Amino acid sequence: MHEDPRTAEIDGVSLHLSRPAEAVREWIGQREALDQLQACWLVVAEEDLPLSPRITGPPGIGKTTLASAAARERGQELYIFQATADTRPEDLLVTPVLAESGRIAYHASPLVTAMIRGGICVIDEGNRMSEKSWASLAPLLDHRRYVESIVAGTTVPAHPEFRCCVTMNDDASTYEVPDYILSRLQPTLPIEFPDRDDELAILNYHLPFAGEEMLAMTVEFLQEAHGLDLDYSPRDGIHILQYALKRLAQDPAHPLGRDEAWRESLEKVLGEEALDLNALARRRRQALGDEPPPMNFGDIFFGDDSPLHPDRGDS
């Protein structure tokens, strides 16, 4: 009888293993970021240990894709654990499931499966997790390299080839990641928005049938947004193109113009505010206190504290 590759026995406890992620996209541009991640995972001496970096940047910029490309270059299985605000320690490690026989079956998470099989695990959007969940990973992220499952009553050591990284969105932190965890998630690898050529290549890779005109309109929009510090990402560009192309193909008898379809798609995907990027950027700077609100007639002649200011007439 052949051993089931999707099960493993640790300390007499049988664990059902997760399946690796299958869809792996190309990493386009920013080769330096890929090289930096690969350097984190190198072991340069017998006493050395790999690092577990955190990859930061806005949503949709390709943080998970970067880790996927690194895993493929290393020839290792990739496992992705999607962190959420209600992730529990047992979700991260081992989950008990009632089997048909009435017995308890133990299912290893993608993280623990990667530890057992010597794969690579991406903890996606890690700054959504609570401290309680992070605490269960503390021994994994330092020199001990193991986790303890209270549910299964077992300790799982990490395979020597196991590697890990954590992605974190700049704007989606539900919980503050504790310092003792941040000190283990080093170094920090920030991912920047792609330049014009790389962004065009990314969109063309995902939607090679979009056509030069539609691609160009989308890249121009995204590049203008990047220049104004607005967090519209290549993922947003892909969605704009997808909906615009579907609208163009929807009714050949009454076709929309390309400009009309693209503009409609922009509004539906990103909202009406995206139609005027300059105005949107000004409003956001004002909301953050980086730019004073526009002056009115009273501001020109009277100080803020003047009782003669028109806006203070009632007082």
Side-chain angles (χ1 to χ4, degrees), residues 46-295:
E46 186 176 347
E47 302 83 1
D48 191 27
L49 292 173
L51 297 170
S52 300
R54 61 183 186 268
I55 305 172
T56 63
I61 205 170
K63 299 183 291 297
T64 307
T65 300
L66 173 64
S68 300
R72 180 166 58 186
E73 282 194 357
R74 289 179 58 89
Q76 291 175 254
E77 292 178 339
L78 174 70
Y79 295 86
I80 299 175
F81 182 89
Q82 181 62 56
T84 64
D86 57 358
T87 294
R88 304 165 301 171
E90 55 265 39
D91 300 324
L92 269 172
L93 304 180
V94 177
T95 304
V97 177
L98 186 63
E100 292 181 1
S101 62
R103 300 179 60 186
I104 298 295
Y106 294 103
H107 288 251
S109 70
L111 171 66
V112 169
T113 301
M115 291 174 59
I116 293 171
R117 292 184 58 82
I120 289 175
C121 182
V122 180
I123 302 177
D124 203 18
E125 299 189 62
N127 51 343
R128 290 182 178 272
M129 289 198 306
S130 67
E131 181 176 356
K132 184 177 182 180
S133 293
W134 275 117
S136 66
L137 298 186
L140 174 64
L141 299 172
D142 60 25
H143 64 280
R144 293 171 287 180
R145 285 175 63 84
Y146 67 76
V147 294
E148 292 181 304
S149 170
I150 303 301
V151 169
T154 185
T155 297
V156 182
H159 189 286
E161 292 302 314
F162 168 73
R163 300 293 186 269
C164 180
C165 67
V166 178
T167 70
M168 295 186 177
N169 289 338
D170 287 342
D171 63 344
S173 177
T174 303
Y175 294 100
E176 193 74 25
V177 180
D179 289 341
Y180 72 90
I181 293 296
L182 290 179
S183 68
R184 289 165 163 83
L185 299 176
Q186 296 292 353
T188 301
L189 305 180
I191 306 301
E192 307 294 337
F193 284 115
D195 62 24
R196 186 181 303 273
D197 290 342
D198 286 344
E199 197 146 48
L200 179 60
I202 291 168
L203 297 182
N204 191 49
Y205 171 78
H206 288 276
L207 299 167
F209 48 85
E212 292 184 7
E213 183 181 351
M214 299 289 279
L215 287 169
M217 283 192 292
T218 308
V219 170
E220 287 301 319
F221 168 81
L222 291 173
Q223 288 293 308
E224 183 181 356
H226 304 336
L228 293 169
D229 292 327
L230 298 171
D231 288 343
Y232 292 139
S233 68
R235 181 192 295 161
D236 295 320
I238 292 169
H239 290 159
I240 293 168
L241 277 171
Q242 285 178 318
Y243 184 67
L245 292 170
K246 294 177 191 304
R247 288 289 284 141
L248 285 170
Q250 188 174 35
D251 190 353
H254 301 283
L256 291 172
R258 291 184 182 274
D259 289 352
E260 181 184 357
W262 188 90
R263 184 180 175 87
E264 177 189 314
S265 182
L266 176 66
E267 183 177 358
K268 296 299 183 185
V269 172
L270 299 181
E272 185 177 355
E273 60 181 10
L275 297 174
D276 189 342
L277 290 180
N278 286 299
L280 174 59
R282 284 196 301 271
R283 289 196 298 272
R284 292 194 178 179
R285 286 196 298 268
Q286 290 168 8
L288 294 171
D290 296 332
E291 180 176 299
M295 297 179 69

Side-chain angles (χ1 to χ4, degrees), residues 37-50:
L37 179 55
Q38 294 287 31
C40 292
W41 289 341
L42 285 177
V43 174
V44 298
E46 186 176 347
E47 302 83 1
D48 191 27
L49 292 173

